[in-house]
Amino acid sequence: MAFLKPELPVVDAEWYTRSRAERIRPMARHWAEVGFGTPAVLHLFYVVKIALYILGGVLFAQATTGIGGIADIGSWYAEPIVLQKVVLYTMLFEVIGLGCGFGPLNNRYLPPMGSILYWLRPGTIRLPPWPARVPLTGGDRRGPLDIALYAALLVLLVVALLSDGTGPDSALDTTIGLLPTWQIWAILAVLAVAGLRDKVIFLAARGEVYAALTLTFLFGGADTIVAAKLVFLTIWIGAALSKLNRHFPFVISTMMANGPLVRPRSIKRRFFEKYPDDLRPGRPSRLIAHISTAVEGLVPLVLFFTHGGWPVAIAAALMICFHAAILVSIPMGVPLEWNVFMMFGVLALFIGHADIGLSDVTNPVPVAALFLVSAGTVILGAFFPRKVSFLPGMRYYAGNWDTGLWCIKPSAMAKIADGLVSIASMPTAQLEKVYGSPEAAQIPIYLGYAFRAFNTHGRAMFTLAHRAMADQREEDYVLTDGERICSTAVGWNFGDGHMHNEQLIAAIQRRCRFEPGEVRVVLIDGQPIHRQTQQYRLVDAATGEFERGYVEVADLVTAQPWDDAVPVHITHGPTLGSA
């Protein structure tokens, strides 16, 4: 790993003339030994960002009257108002755009973030979740009301972070107290209205985590602590549930090969079945996948149902190590601050308030209601992945996500550049600027294809790309991951195919007026927990859906990253049956 320069594969002139599958093959082999080849300075950049995030949290905590200095952190880390401020601070950090999805490891170069740069700018695209059902949320153009709501959310969060507690609270054994209730109500109300007009803002604020925890602050007393513990429990067990599939080992092998701490190539190769010809997950990857799923699904039960002593201490240590392992791997998408926050939550809630449990709840109705809604959303998303975003569905890093691939002609690229109000240029243009030429940019582009192809859905994605362009010349198209389109068009992305589905296609089509055949999109649903198939749709931006069907998970997990001819089962389109 070079400090300043990326460690990229070396290719010859013939590589540029090969088929897409044959160009992905050496990229996949390079990834298995090196990963993306990220220079060490970028990893150091993210380490500094994490340190600044932690410093910010400490400073906001110390801005509270009654909180001692850093040397006395053991006396105040579990203060309820500190938990409140860390939750709201992390929400602010995320919704500004500094958290998940920030920077080059999420393919954001110029600029390294969107979010605030988009959501304070009129005319950018917004994506309401239920425009036909919720009054006053229709349309997809950001206007003064949307900007005012987003700005108000930022202001309210900052005001809360600079506020003091309301005074002694005997139920929580604190002399400092909690933040004023009106601040909590105001933040939740504004976030809810802003999210109904643009779901991306709610998802970027990580509403399934931080809004749910903020809601617990309204319960008061021990109910707040127990409800917050239940939110954590739902996150862990929900995420573990989502990993009970055949996809997750592929995430582990890909992540370990890309991790900065696993250096020797000989070790990285062991995470694959038989390098270089069989790059399915090897035994170590499968073992890590099974152990980590068991830890995430079972250890939190010990944390929640035991109240002090060695069981809680051991369980807390295991969960801190669990999140630390994810953190030091610096995974693609970079959910770094979230993992730091989860470690803090283990200490603040399950160690600092280990003695508070279900028997201490005074008003069980709101506590139970929040748990049922959170857990019910996870279950609904497991059975109907197209209906529930992978974030509230807790399908974090499970390898089972809704995904999309956009096939775009250069003429359509020009229309996007002219028609969208955006900050970032198209991903290909960004890479050409960073790497100096279109030819040089092909290397990181194909490394990105290899990353996608290492995940099981990538085999389906590139197979279906052939079908999406079957009546056109494939060499006339540039293939762009839906994540990258989302980044350019709406200002934020974090692995969620729900943000670049038919809704975004229609919004961009209204602005760019593509001709039939200029933009073709492959959309793949996540796998429902009760079925071993994944549904897909093929969409022409100008004329709409023209084919749908499914792929078998069994075919995806036995294919190699460069295989782009997995069996396809067509249920609606020009030719029904298998292809």
Side-chain angles (χ1 to χ4, degrees):
M1 182 190 299
F3 185 73
L4 293 176
K5 293 184 178 180
E7 189 174 352
L8 299 176
V10 177
V11 300
D12 55 22
E14 184 183 352
W15 178 81
Y16 290 92
T17 66
R18 295 174 183 168
S19 67
R20 182 169 59 251
E22 287 304 311
R23 278 185 279 178
I24 287 177
R25 187 189 296 260
M27 299 297 113
R29 289 171 172 169
H30 177 84
W31 186 290
E33 289 192 300
V34 179
F36 196 70
T38 305
V41 67
L42 283 184
H43 288 135
L44 180 60
F45 165 78
Y46 281 100
V47 170
V48 172
K49 187 168 83 79
I50 294 168
L52 292 174
Y53 162 75
I54 294 172
L55 177 62
V58 171
L59 292 177
F60 278 121
Q62 292 195 306
T64 311
T65 301
I67 296 296
I70 295 179
D72 299 322
I73 192 170
S75 67
W76 56 261
Y77 79 95
E79 278 285 345
I81 196 171
V82 173
L83 174 65
Q84 288 183 307
K85 288 199 172 188
V86 172
V87 168
L88 298 179
Y89 165 62
T90 311
M91 181 191 291
L92 177 66
F93 201 86
E94 295 283 359
V95 83
I96 285 175
L98 296 172
C100 300
F102 177 90
L105 291 188
N106 197 44
N107 283 298
R108 286 186 174 278
Y109 299 95
L110 304 168
M113 60 181 285
S115 301
I116 192 172
L117 303 178
Y118 279 70
W119 302 334
L120 290 178
R121 184 172 183 178
T124 52
I125 292 176
R126 62 180 181 88
L127 301 175
W130 303 292
R133 299 179 182 178
V134 180
L136 305 178
T137 65
D140 55 33
R141 185 183 185 279
R142 195 173 313 279
L145 175 60
D146 306 290
I147 294 170
L149 287 168
Y150 177 65
L153 177 63
L154 301 183
V155 171
L156 287 168
L157 287 168
V158 171
V159 168
L161 290 172
L162 296 176
S163 298
D164 291 326
T166 53
D169 187 329
S170 58
L172 289 171
D173 191 25
T174 175
T175 59
I176 299 173
L178 300 172
L179 291 172
T181 303
W182 73 265
Q183 294 181 354
I184 305 303
W185 276 114
I187 289 169
L188 289 171
V190 171
L191 177 61
V193 177
L196 287 172
R197 289 189 59 84
D198 187 359
K199 64 184 178 184
V200 180
I201 290 178
F202 182 85
L203 294 173
R206 298 299 303 275
E208 83 286 358
V209 177
Y210 307 118
L213 287 168
T214 302
L215 184 60
T216 69
F217 301 156
L218 297 173
F219 298 168
D223 294 8
T224 288
I225 302 299
V226 174
K229 288 183 177 184
L230 283 170
V231 171
F232 272 72
L233 190 68
T234 303
I235 292 169
W236 284 319
I237 295 181
L241 175 68
S242 74
K243 295 182 176 77
L244 298 176
N245 59 47
R246 303 177 70 180
H247 310 278
F248 186 47
F250 292 80
V251 176
I252 294 296
S253 59
T254 307
M255 184 172 70
M256 297 305 293
N258 193 46
L261 297 186
V262 180
R263 300 292 295 278
R265 296 189 178 199
S266 59
I267 295 178
K268 292 193 176 190
R269 292 182 192 132
R270 292 180 181 272
F271 290 103
F272 299 91
E273 192 66 40
K274 191 177 180 181
Y275 181 90
D277 297 317
D278 188 349
L279 297 187
R280 293 174 299 164
R283 182 175 296 175
S285 296
R286 297 193 298 271
L287 184 61
I288 292 173
H290 297 327
I291 292 174
S292 61
T293 301
V295 168
E296 194 172 25
L298 299 176
V299 174
L301 294 173
V302 179
L303 274 179
F304 186 80
F305 288 106
T306 57
H307 305 294
W310 284 107
V312 167
I314 293 172
L318 284 172
M319 293 313 298
I320 288 173
C321 289
F322 173 85
H323 285 285
I326 301 173
L327 182 67
V328 298
S329 71
I330 311 185
M332 302 294 281
V334 287
L336 308 179
E337 292 76 19
W338 175 76
N339 280 285
V340 174
F341 171 82
M342 294 298 287
M343 288 189 279
F344 168 78
V346 169
L347 296 173
L349 285 170
F350 296 95
I351 296 296
H353 296 281
D355 58 323
I356 297 180
L358 288 174
S359 61
D360 300 298
V361 173
T362 59
N363 187 0
V365 173
V367 175
L370 176 60
F371 173 71
L372 290 174
V373 169
S374 297
T377 302
V378 172
I379 294 170
L380 185 66
F383 284 95
F384 306 100
R386 192 188 299 183
K387 300 293 185 183
V388 180
S389 161
F390 96 128
L391 290 170
M394 308 296 175
R395 296 192 294 278
Y396 307 149
Y397 284 86
N400 179 28
W401 314 295
D402 292 59
T403 54
L405 182 70
W406 292 50
C407 311
I408 309 174
K409 288 185 176 180
S411 58
M413 289 279 196
K415 291 180 179 180
I416 290 173
D418 293 337
L420 295 188
V421 178
S422 65
I423 303 297
S425 57
M426 288 291 285
T428 302
Q430 290 192 48
L431 288 170
E432 289 175 359
K433 289 181 181 179
V434 171
Y435 287 90
S437 70
E439 292 75 20
Q442 289 298 302
I443 304 297
I445 287 173
Y446 269 83
L447 278 173
Y449 291 167
F451 164 75
R452 184 59 78 183
F454 265 118
N455 293 283
T456 52
H457 54 255
R459 285 90 156 157
M461 181 179 286
F462 291 114
T463 296
L464 292 167
H466 291 306
R467 299 192 60 78
M469 301 177 287
D471 62 337
Q472 306 284 326
R473 284 166 29 101
E474 286 199 26
E475 56 268 30
D476 292 341
Y477 289 87
V478 175
L479 271 58
T480 303
D481 198 295
E483 288 285 289
R484 310 283 77 80
I485 298 294
C486 192
S487 172
T488 297
V490 304
W492 189 77
N493 64 288
F494 184 57
D496 193 349
H498 292 80
M499 295 193 300
H500 46 85
N501 58 15
E502 288 91 344
Q503 186 181 21
L504 181 62
I505 295 171
I508 295 178
Q509 173 65 14
R510 279 190 282 273
R511 290 159 172 79
C512 299
R513 303 296 180 187
F514 303 120
E515 296 295 326
E518 275 194 302
V519 175
R520 297 281 173 82
V521 185
V522 176
L523 298 173
I524 304 175
D525 294 342
Q527 176 202 338
I529 196 170
H530 60 301
R531 294 177 181 166
Q532 290 298 312
T533 59
Q534 291 184 251
Q535 302 291 319
Y536 77 85
R537 288 102 66 207
L538 304 182
V539 178
D540 185 295
T543 61
E545 181 184 306
F546 60 91
E547 181 179 303
R548 69 169 54 202
Y550 65 91
V551 291
E552 299 276 357
V553 172
D555 293 326
L556 304 182
V557 299
T558 55
Q560 296 298 321
W562 48 83
D563 288 342
D564 61 354
V566 298
V568 174
H569 305 275
I570 305 163
T571 58
H572 175 76
T575 305
L576 301 183
S578 299

